């Protein structure tokens, strides 16, 4: 990868019911993520770790954190550096993609591929839990909490530039919002039927049609719990690890890819560090041509 990769950890679990994912960035750093990427040929450095306030209520803490995160991501992109954002719970998506949208806006719109078991498109009135990690896409599309949905100065995403992949657990209210907006959702059963490479090709085509570039957000609970147990909200029937590694490896070196986000790693539920290893492999596969094949040969 020609651009320098700057890793931004978002050590926050206040948007989730299980806050163990706040430990994810520190755990991945201690496990050697930066060295792993450098060894794969990625010019990576750890840039910053941002933490949510413990003294504020969750919504105010995440507003504050998302504002700082958005500024960090925007500055990195304007300096021609590549942000690799590590959650933390998936409310981190609000800050990541609001910042990316601001940075890209002089050149055009932002596209986004969202790989997840869940739709993450609730607004407060439809959420059964009130947890903000179930609301980032609604905020990015301009719905929900006004303080979060306005971070990009305007909606960060247009519906026609967003595609969800791997969905298999959702509620009626969020599905209705995405359906009303016309967002393309590729459910897990369709992925299993067509194959992940074909589904991801379609998603990237949507995210790059009429945009200045695109981002990819990967919630590790998109993967089957047999491969990735270290998440807070596991859902059976997910994507398989080898398929994801193969599919994202096709993006390595794509100049249209502007940023990568990996969220919801929860070391408290991991078994022998399997999910941490997989998160590191996914990052390398998406950023370093040939990394996925090399790691699979070494396994």
């Amino acid at each position: 990868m020609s651009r320098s990769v700057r890793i931004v950890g978002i050590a926050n679990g206040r948007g989730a019911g299980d806050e163990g994912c706040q430990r994810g960035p520190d755990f991945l750093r201690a496990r050697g993520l930066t060295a792993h990427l450098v060894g794969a040929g990625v010019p990576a450095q750890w840039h910053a770790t941002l933490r949510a306030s413990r003294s504020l209520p969750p919504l105010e803490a995440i507003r504050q954190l998302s504002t700082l995160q958005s500024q960090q991501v925007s500055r990195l992109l304007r300096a021609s550096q590549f942000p690799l954002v590590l959650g933390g719970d998936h409310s981190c998506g609000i800050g990541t993609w609001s910042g990316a949208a601001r940075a890209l806006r002089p050149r055009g719109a932002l596209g986004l591929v969202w790989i997840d078991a869940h739709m993450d498109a609730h607004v407060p009135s439809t959420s059964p839990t009130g947890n903000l990690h179930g609301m980032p896409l609604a905020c990015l599309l301009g719905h929900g909490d006004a303080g979060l949905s306005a971070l990009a100065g305007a909606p960060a995403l247009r519906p026609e530039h967003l595609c969800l992949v791997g969905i298999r657990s959702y509620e009626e209210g969020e599905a209705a919002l995405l359906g009303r907006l016309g967002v393309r959702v590729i459910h897990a059963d369709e992925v299993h039927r067509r194959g992940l490479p074909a589904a991801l090709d379609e998603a990237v085509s949507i995210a790059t049609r009429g945009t200045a570039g695109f981002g990819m957000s990967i919630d590790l609970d998109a993967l089957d719990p047999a491969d990735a147990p270290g998440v807070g909200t596991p859902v059976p029937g997910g994507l398989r690890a080898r398929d994801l590694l193969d599919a994202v490896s096709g993006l390595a070196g794509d100049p249209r890819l502007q940023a990568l986000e990996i969220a919801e790693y929860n070391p408290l539920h991991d078994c022998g560090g399997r999910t941490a290893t997989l998160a590191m492999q996914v990052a390398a596969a998406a950023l370093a041509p040939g990394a996925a094949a090399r790691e699979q040969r070494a396994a």
Side-chain angles (χ1 to χ4, degrees):
M1 189 171 195
S2 58
R3 288 172 289 174
S4 296
V5 172
R6 296 294 180 263
I7 304 169
V8 181
I10 307 300
N12 174 46
R14 303 205 66 198
D18 181 341
E19 294 195 26
C21 55
Q22 68 182 326
R23 305 187 185 192
D26 292 330
F27 191 94
L28 291 171
R29 186 177 190 182
R31 197 172 176 88
L33 172 62
T34 306
H36 183 81
L37 291 174
V38 171
V42 179
Q45 294 180 19
W46 198 279
H47 179 72
T49 302
L50 305 181
R51 304 180 190 277
S53 169
R54 303 300 306 183
S55 62
L56 296 173
L59 176 57
E60 293 180 33
I62 290 174
R63 282 177 182 157
Q64 181 186 78
L65 178 64
S66 296
T67 299
L68 294 173
Q69 182 188 348
S70 173
Q71 292 166 350
Q72 289 265 7
V73 169
S74 185
R75 281 197 295 266
L76 289 172
L77 282 168
R78 286 171 175 154
S80 299
Q81 295 173 328
F82 185 99
L84 168 57
V85 177
L86 302 176
D89 71 61
H90 216 169
S91 66
C92 65
I94 302 168
T96 299
W97 306 114
S98 293
R102 272 192 178 274
L104 262 65
R105 189 165 292 141
R107 294 189 280 131
L110 170 71
L112 184 60
V113 175
W114 190 271
I115 302 176
D116 204 323
H118 308 91
M119 287 183 170
D120 290 356
H122 276 295
V123 295
S125 62
T126 65
S127 172
T129 65
N131 292 333
L132 281 161
H133 74 158
M135 303 184 192
L137 279 180
C139 292
L140 293 168
L141 290 162
H143 299 264
D145 179 74
L148 292 171
S149 60
L151 275 182
L157 293 172
R158 292 168 57 178
E160 63 268 29
H161 298 148
L162 169 65
C163 184
L164 285 68
V165 179
I167 304 302
R168 58 194 187 277
S169 176
Y170 56 92
E171 283 80 41
E172 181 179 349
E174 56 185 340
L177 174 62
L178 295 181
R180 187 167 70 250
L181 295 174
V183 173
R184 173 68 165 121
V185 178
I186 306 177
H187 293 266
D189 57 354
E190 182 179 349
V191 174
H192 295 320
R193 186 173 67 252
R194 295 173 57 195
L196 184 55
L200 190 57
D201 281 349
E202 180 186 350
V204 172
S205 176
I206 289 168
T208 56
R209 190 179 303 130
T211 66
F214 77 103
M216 184 165 61
S217 184
I218 301 173
D219 187 321
L220 291 169
D221 68 27
L223 290 150
D224 194 88
D227 292 334
V231 299
T233 50
V235 183
L239 312 179
R240 300 313 303 259
R242 184 175 292 267
D243 294 337
L244 182 62
L245 289 168
D246 287 343
V248 300
S249 68
L251 299 175
D254 189 331
R256 301 172 299 177
L257 182 63
Q258 301 296 310
L260 173 65
E261 178 177 69
I262 300 175
E264 295 280 354
Y265 172 55
N266 189 327
L268 300 183
H269 300 304
D270 209 359
C271 299
R274 287 162 50 202
T275 313
T277 297
L278 180 55
M280 292 162 61
Q281 290 174 335
V282 168
L287 300 177
R294 289 194 298 271
E295 293 189 349
Q296 288 177 12
R297 286 196 299 269

